[in-house]
Amino acid sequence: MDLTLKVWRQKNRNAQGALEKYNVSGISENASFLEMLDVMNEQLINEGTEPVAFDHDCREGICGSCSLYINGEAHGPAKNVTTCQLHMRMFKDGETIYIEPWRSAAMPVIKDLIVDRSSFDRIQQSGGFVSVNTSGNTQDANALPIPKMNADKAFDAAACIGCGACVATCKNSSAMLFVAAKVSQFAYLPQGQVEAKQRVKNMVQQMDNEGFGNCTNTGACEIECPKSISIEYIAKMNREFLAATFSTSE
Ligand code: SF4
Ligand code: FES
């Protein structure tokens, strides 16, 4: 495949960025999108041009670091896959592909296609954990019976990889789907109950502190989420938040 790439280049977070045009040829339709970018970068290095900075780690859809806006869609045109799992057969020979970073004030561009997603880390640190006493004997894994429906819901929420596509897609730059998934994965389990009230209050507060927008129920986040996290979890988080806010015990 021969392709024309329009790639966002930006020296640093304060510089003004712009789209630059690069041509790549001989790309296999079986190559992944990131492998195609590797070929482009090799070409740029051979020409003495600085390669394009982009984020990636696992390249198998689990770390959430490959975050690109491709032809106006978070993670590109394929459904339920991350950028690293997107293959070039989704594009046509001779096509022009626009490649941009996430756009959100709470996730500023650091360089080229890489954005600063440490706001997600701070939200996680504010409550996305359970405190476990590790002294004494190890408890049997099945000591706490959990209804199958709750286990499934917790598992589905835990599939969130923190990629930020929900934020990038939302017209309000809302992080509600991400935070809802992180709150819900514990809210459905007995292990998450001890810190439940403080967790949801702290994580929602931190989300607001980071400057993410509010949810207005457009549902765009759910459509572009590579892990199919449902907006039903936002309703769950709102219920948890209201219960925690109006609770008389804390
Ligand atoms: S909810 Fe989906 S889109 Fe948002 S961070 Fe998690 S995996 Fe990514
Ligand atoms: S590189 Fe890890 S999810 Fe894509």
Side-chain angles (χ1 to χ4, degrees):
M1 300 172 81
D2 297 337
L3 302 161
T4 301
L5 307 176
K6 297 275 186 79
V7 185
W8 186 260
R9 306 285 333 239
Q10 185 172 332
K11 276 195 187 320
N12 56 53
R13 109 176 27 216
N14 300 319
Q16 193 169 2
L19 287 167
E20 297 284 338
K21 182 174 149 192
Y22 304 112
N23 295 313
V24 287
S25 52
I27 301 292
S28 164
E29 63 175 18
N30 296 320
S32 74
F33 198 84
L34 297 188
E35 285 167 343
M36 184 277 292
L37 291 182
D38 290 339
V39 171
M40 176 195 71
N41 272 344
E42 262 178 41
Q43 192 176 302
L44 291 179
I45 291 166
N46 289 338
E47 290 167 359
T49 306
E50 190 180 348
V52 176
F54 64 94
D55 229 347
H56 60 99
D57 187 3
C58 71
R59 295 202 178 203
E60 53 185 15
I62 55 173
C63 76
S65 62
C66 59
S67 302
L68 299 178
Y69 228 72
I70 302 163
N71 284 349
E73 269 189 275
H75 294 300
K79 292 296 162 214
N80 303 330
V81 297
T82 51
T83 298
C84 59
Q85 295 182 305
L86 177 65
H87 285 84
M88 297 313 296
R89 52 183 164 272
M90 293 298 295
F91 301 89
K92 294 189 194 74
D93 185 29
E95 190 172 338
T96 297
I97 305 175
Y98 288 83
I99 309 168
E100 297 170 84
W102 286 170
R103 305 283 186 192
S104 166
M107 291 180 170
V109 174
I110 299 172
K111 187 174 171 61
D112 295 338
L113 301 172
I114 299 180
V115 300
D116 179 355
R117 283 177 299 154
S118 58
S119 48
F120 269 18
D121 295 337
R122 289 187 289 276
I123 293 171
Q124 277 287 78
Q125 286 157 6
S126 72
F129 52 84
V130 288
S131 300
V132 177
N133 186 351
T134 54
S135 63
N137 290 338
T138 309
Q139 199 175 24
D140 187 86
N142 294 326
L144 286 172
I146 299 168
K148 173 84 167 69
M149 199 178 76
N150 286 11
D152 286 350
K153 284 186 171 171
F155 189 85
D156 288 348
C160 167
I161 54 174
C163 65
C166 45
V167 173
T169 300
C170 177
K171 66 174 184 170
N172 309 319
S173 284
S174 170
M176 291 281 264
L177 194 65
F178 164 74
V179 180
K182 298 303 173 190
V183 165
S184 299
Q185 67 178 349
F186 296 122
Y188 279 110
L189 298 177
Q191 293 90 337
Q193 299 312 308
V194 182
E195 295 151 309
K197 290 175 187 159
Q198 218 45 56
R199 173 181 305 111
V200 68
K201 285 200 277 191
N202 288 353
M203 292 183 82
V204 168
Q205 181 65 57
Q206 190 62 37
M207 174 180 75
D208 290 343
N209 292 348
E210 297 291 347
F212 290 105
N214 279 322
C215 173
T216 51
N217 286 320
T218 65
C221 53
E222 180 185 71
I223 292 167
E224 294 297 341
C225 172
K227 298 298 167 183
S228 307
I229 303 293
S230 165
I231 54 172
E232 282 179 22
Y233 289 109
I234 296 180
K236 171 70 174 166
M237 180 177 72
N238 287 339
R239 287 196 298 274
E240 291 286 315
F241 184 76
L242 284 174
T245 304
F246 295 110
S247 159
T248 48
S249 58
E250 279 181 44

